[in-house]
Amino acid sequence: MKKLVLPLLLFMFLTGCNDDQKTLEVNDIGGEESEKVKIIMENEEEIYSGRAIFVEDQLLVAVQAKPWLDYKKTKIEKNLKKKLEESFPEYDITVSSDYKLYWEAQKLLKEDDGEKLKKKVEKLKKLKKEET
Amino acid sequence: MEQEKFDKIEQEITPRTPYVKNVLKAFFVGGLICTIGHAITYFYIIFFDFTEKTVGNPTVATMIFLSMLLTGFGLYQKLGQFAGAGSAVPVSGFGNAVISAAIEHRTEGFVLGVGGNMFKLAGSVILFGVTSAFVVALVKLILVSTGVIEW
């Protein structure tokens, strides 16, 4: 029994980091914009998952940085925001790698009521700015 | 000659400290405490309006509160005996140090006993914590202003 513990642990450690499948989700507005966002996120090497929410003139993108790249989150956010701004100059873009925004974005993906959606996105933008 | 002989005999008789075993125990118990802390972090993120940036404060407060309860019930000292540094290094060890000192000096009265001795152990944690935080912030400030890293 004791001899099995070490190989088992090693196995768990090694399989934990073996997942290259990217999960990308965009809320349903139709048109080429959602495809465009998906392509941009697909090309971003440093993230493993991303969710984008379009509402009126707002675009909220919540991503998750790869575990070992957690320390340069702000840089990843900045780069992605720059790329998105080039493709969507007419949108007010918010990019975040925070887990809170990522989690809330999942709920917003299913939200159909435009008014509510906008309110929630505004709230998330405010949360992102909070420091303490 | 006598002294050397004594030293030799002493070394033969003293049981060897099981360093590897102690380190492993500390590693796993410390890791377990940190896993619980992380679970609390996600709890606050998911059910309350905290972001990764702001969730640190309520998490630390909860961990200290839990370890204070455990200390009061006499359970944390058992854990400390088993895991050593694994239970002392995470922030829950801080709560333990505060409450155990308070309990120990309870008989000396509230002001001079509990109040005066509560931070006997934890005081040094606060002092060196603040000092090292200042030094780290200084290093970061220098690195940021020279352009090596960003905020």
Side-chain angles (χ1 to χ4, degrees), chain B residues 20-131:
Chain B
V20 178
K21 207 173 148 198
N22 284 351
V23 166
L24 278 178
K25 273 183 189 168
F27 179 78
F28 281 106
V29 174
L32 186 74
I33 290 171
C34 295
T35 312
I36 295 169
H38 224 79
I40 293 170
T41 299
Y42 280 116
F43 168 77
Y44 279 121
I45 286 182
I46 289 167
F47 294 107
F48 295 94
D49 282 345
F50 288 107
T51 57
E52 271 175 36
K53 221 186 249 172
T54 59
V55 79
N57 299 334
T59 306
V60 169
T62 312
M63 285 309 282
I64 290 179
F65 181 71
L66 285 179
S67 76
M68 281 174 166
L69 279 184
L70 288 178
T71 309
F73 293 133
L75 297 170
Y76 205 86
Q77 51 183 339
K78 284 180 190 163
L79 185 72
Q81 226 157 42
F82 173 75
S87 65
V89 172
V91 78
S92 50
F94 175 79
N96 176 50
V98 173
I99 291 300
S100 58
I103 292 170
E104 196 183 327
H105 295 277
R106 193 179 41 180
T107 49
E108 293 163 34
F110 261 121
V111 178
L112 291 176
V114 174
N117 294 299
M118 200 171 193
F119 288 97
K120 219 177 186 177
L121 287 165
S124 66
V125 178
I126 296 173
L127 172 69
F128 290 110
V130 170
T131 313

Side-chain angles (χ1 to χ4, degrees), chain A residues 1 11 16 21 23-24 39 48 53 58 68 72 84 89 91 95 102 105 112-114 117 119 122-123 127 131:
Chain A
M1 186 60 210
F11 179 74
Q21 201 61 46
T23 49
L24 301 171
I39 290 165
Y48 70 86
I53 309 288
Q58 309 262 11
W68 290 105
K72 50 182 205 178
L84 285 167
Y91 280 97
V95 180
Y102 181 73
D112 297 320
D113 190 353
L117 193 62
K119 234 181 192 169
E122 288 291 341
K123 198 184 156 199
L127 262 184
E131 290 283 341

